[in-house]
Amino acid sequence: MKDKKWDLVALASIPLIMTLGNSMLLPTLPQIEHALGINSFQVSMIITVYGLIAILMIPVAGFFSDRYGRKIVILPSLMLAAIGGVVCVIAAWFMKGYSAYWVILAGRLLQGIGAAGAFPIVLPFVGDLFKDEKEVSKSLGLIETSNTFGKVLSPILGAYLGTLLWYAPFIAIPFLCILSFVLVLFLVKPPKKEDQAAEEKPTLRKFLSDIKDILHKRGRWLYAIFAIGGICMFVTFGVLFYLSEILETKHKLHGAMKGLVLAIPLALLCLASYGCGKIIGQNKALMKWLGFGGMVLLTGAMVVTGFNKGIYMMVAFLTVSGIGIGVVLPCMDALITEAFEKENRGTITSLYSSMRFIGVALGPPVVSLLMTRGHWVLFGTMTVLGAVGGLLSLFAVTPSKEEGGEDGVKKTAKSFSIRTQRARAR
């Protein structure tokens, strides 16, 4: 792992910067809403359009990364995200009202396409770099920590930049993307492919066939992990949107102070991700039970928050929910990445990342609508989703049990892949 230290540093910059590029806007959404003269649902679409296009493009990026290489897909994607940021800046600077709003949405669309080819490709890339599953788990924990650290930093940085200029976060995005581009270009060295793997490049038909075959064979627990990842992102971005709104409108917190409050639950989420990534190793049973425990924490925190409108209690229990999510995500990342060989890894992790982006996309607009129904309706919905995720992690995420041993998933996936290749060779 030491000889890949700089590769990991460069790759970890991608989720950090992609998260900043999205989450940094959350504390400034009320300012954007006021500056452009739009309503809360419309301003939430600035977050949502980014996620929606990413959902569609992530499987495409996964296919291209399997066929042409991870780095070849990541680099132009980072540049596209930078261009999207430039479009947003031009719109905010030279246009007003709805005209600026629609061009900003177009820029966010470009950013979403770029994000689809950047962060989701990091997960299989890390799996490619290491052969030892324990090193893969630790590295994925660092990647998830970088992702969550971006969430911690984003409300503070975004709120501070918002005090300078309401569209200042848009200005920061291109510079951050170019920084990550340079790091990946010069520091990341893709692993050497084996001769057979180098010769066999997946076609689109094989890509679609592999998805169908894998989901048919391993669908039960894969669907569960997809859903859990989506629920965690939905709750994270939905709660951040809600907290940003009430801190601004009800508690009159603005600027860096609001950013610091938003960062509290995210900081604990980050620490939980780091700690979990360090301890799970290659123990898939531990991943399952830690994932279940994290969902229980999330669900319990949502129940208590539903009965408390006080800001101190709310922030405290939203912090507990952050810890739960921080425990869940590295476990799901490791299970989904380590379970498959390199030839299928980009395909499966792309589907998983798409589900996470569904949560990112749906969180703010759904919460903006639920807020009009009342505090308990909002957190009652979050409670139900947390309970569904907990039940899925308890009863559906059972790869070790199904395959007869800790390494059963990977062995079965590998033998399945080999059987599929042999059958096609005939």
Side-chain angles (χ1 to χ4, degrees):
M1 188 170 174
K2 289 183 179 179
D3 61 328
K4 299 291 184 181
K5 179 177 65 175
W6 292 111
D7 299 70
L8 281 176
V9 168
L11 290 175
S13 74
I14 296 173
L16 173 64
I17 287 170
M18 289 296 104
T19 300
L20 284 172
N22 199 34
S23 302
M24 195 162 54
L25 300 176
L26 284 168
T28 64
L29 289 181
Q31 290 174 265
I32 297 172
E33 182 180 338
H34 177 74
L36 299 180
I38 56 179
N39 59 40
S40 60
F41 179 80
Q42 289 171 324
V43 79
S44 73
M45 294 304 293
I46 292 175
I47 301 295
T48 298
V49 72
Y50 174 94
L52 285 177
I53 191 63
I55 293 163
L56 298 175
M57 296 305 298
I58 284 170
V60 178
F63 165 68
F64 282 123
S65 77
D66 281 341
R67 182 174 176 82
Y68 300 110
R70 318 291 187 205
K71 189 172 178 178
I72 292 173
V73 172
I74 287 174
L75 290 174
S77 297
L78 288 170
M79 290 309 299
L80 189 59
I83 292 168
V86 171
V87 171
C88 293
V89 173
I90 292 172
W93 198 344
F94 294 105
M95 304 172 74
K96 294 182 180 179
Y98 277 93
S99 298
Y101 172 68
W102 288 110
V103 178
I104 286 171
L105 285 186
R108 293 288 289 165
L109 195 76
L110 289 176
Q111 280 184 268
I113 297 172
F119 175 43
I121 308 303
V122 171
L123 297 180
F125 208 153
V126 170
D128 295 348
L129 289 175
F130 302 100
K131 294 182 179 179
D132 189 310
E133 287 188 7
K134 191 174 291 187
E135 290 186 335
V136 172
S137 295
K138 287 183 180 179
S139 301
L140 288 171
L142 290 172
I143 295 298
E144 197 61 65
T145 301
S146 176
N147 181 24
T148 52
F149 180 68
K151 289 183 176 66
V152 176
L153 185 60
S154 57
I156 301 171
L157 184 59
Y160 171 73
L161 290 174
T163 62
L164 304 176
L165 200 63
W166 68 266
Y167 57 87
F170 289 125
I171 298 174
I173 290 168
F175 293 102
L176 293 171
C177 290
I178 291 170
L179 173 62
S180 186
F181 178 92
V182 171
L183 290 174
V184 173
L185 179 64
F186 291 106
L187 297 181
V188 177
K189 300 174 181 63
K192 294 180 180 179
K193 296 182 179 181
E194 297 175 4
D195 293 340
Q196 184 180 1
E199 292 173 4
E200 295 179 1
K201 291 186 176 182
T203 61
L204 180 59
R205 178 178 292 181
K206 182 179 184 297
F207 172 75
L208 296 174
S209 178
D210 282 349
I211 291 177
K212 180 181 177 182
D213 292 344
I214 291 169
L215 292 180
H216 176 74
K217 183 75 176 178
R218 307 257 43 86
R220 183 186 175 210
W221 65 272
L222 284 177
Y223 291 140
I225 292 176
F226 293 165
I228 291 166
I231 288 169
C232 287
M233 289 296 100
F234 177 89
V235 173
T236 299
F237 276 80
V239 163
L240 284 176
F241 179 81
Y242 174 75
L243 198 54
S244 178
E245 285 283 324
I246 65 165
L247 287 174
E248 184 98 11
T249 58
K250 291 186 179 181
H251 301 280
K252 307 304 177 185
L253 278 182
H254 308 280
M257 184 57 68
K258 183 177 81 168
L260 286 170
V261 175
L262 289 172
I264 293 171
L266 293 169
L268 272 294
L269 194 158
C270 179
L271 290 173
S273 288
Y274 178 76
C276 187
K278 295 282 283 185
I279 67 173
I280 55 177
Q282 57 191 96
N283 189 333
K284 293 181 176 61
L286 181 61
M287 294 174 197
K288 169 194 167 69
W289 288 107
L290 281 176
F292 172 69
M295 294 307 299
V296 169
L297 271 182
L298 168 61
T299 305
M302 292 298 104
V303 171
V304 177
T305 307
F307 288 103
N308 289 277
K309 291 186 178 181
I311 189 62
Y312 294 108
M313 288 291 289
M314 191 182 303
V315 172
F317 283 97
L318 291 181
T319 300
V320 173
S321 73
I323 294 171
I325 292 170
V327 169
V328 172
L329 291 177
C331 296
M332 299 303 109
D333 290 352
L335 282 171
I336 207 81
T337 303
E338 294 175 22
F340 294 92
E341 294 303 304
K342 293 181 181 181
E343 59 267 21
N344 297 128
R345 196 171 278 152
T347 301
I348 296 303
T349 56
S350 69
L351 294 176
Y352 171 61
S353 296
S354 289
M355 284 302 300
R356 286 180 56 154
F357 268 86
I358 288 175
V360 172
L362 292 181
V366 171
V367 167
S368 72
L369 296 175
L370 290 175
M371 283 169 62
T372 63
R373 303 281 182 173
H375 182 82
W376 171 243
V377 173
L378 169 60
F379 285 96
T381 302
M382 297 293 187
T383 299
V384 171
L385 288 173
V388 169
L391 291 172
L392 287 173
S393 62
L394 181 62
F395 295 110
V397 181
T398 55
S400 299
K401 181 179 177 182
E402 287 180 5
E403 305 306 332
E406 190 174 284
D407 297 323
V409 180
K410 192 164 185 177
K411 289 177 181 176
T412 300
K414 183 175 182 179
S415 64
F416 174 71
S417 177
I418 292 170
R419 288 199 305 271
T420 303
Q421 290 177 12
R422 286 176 179 171
R424 287 178 183 151
R426 294 184 192 130

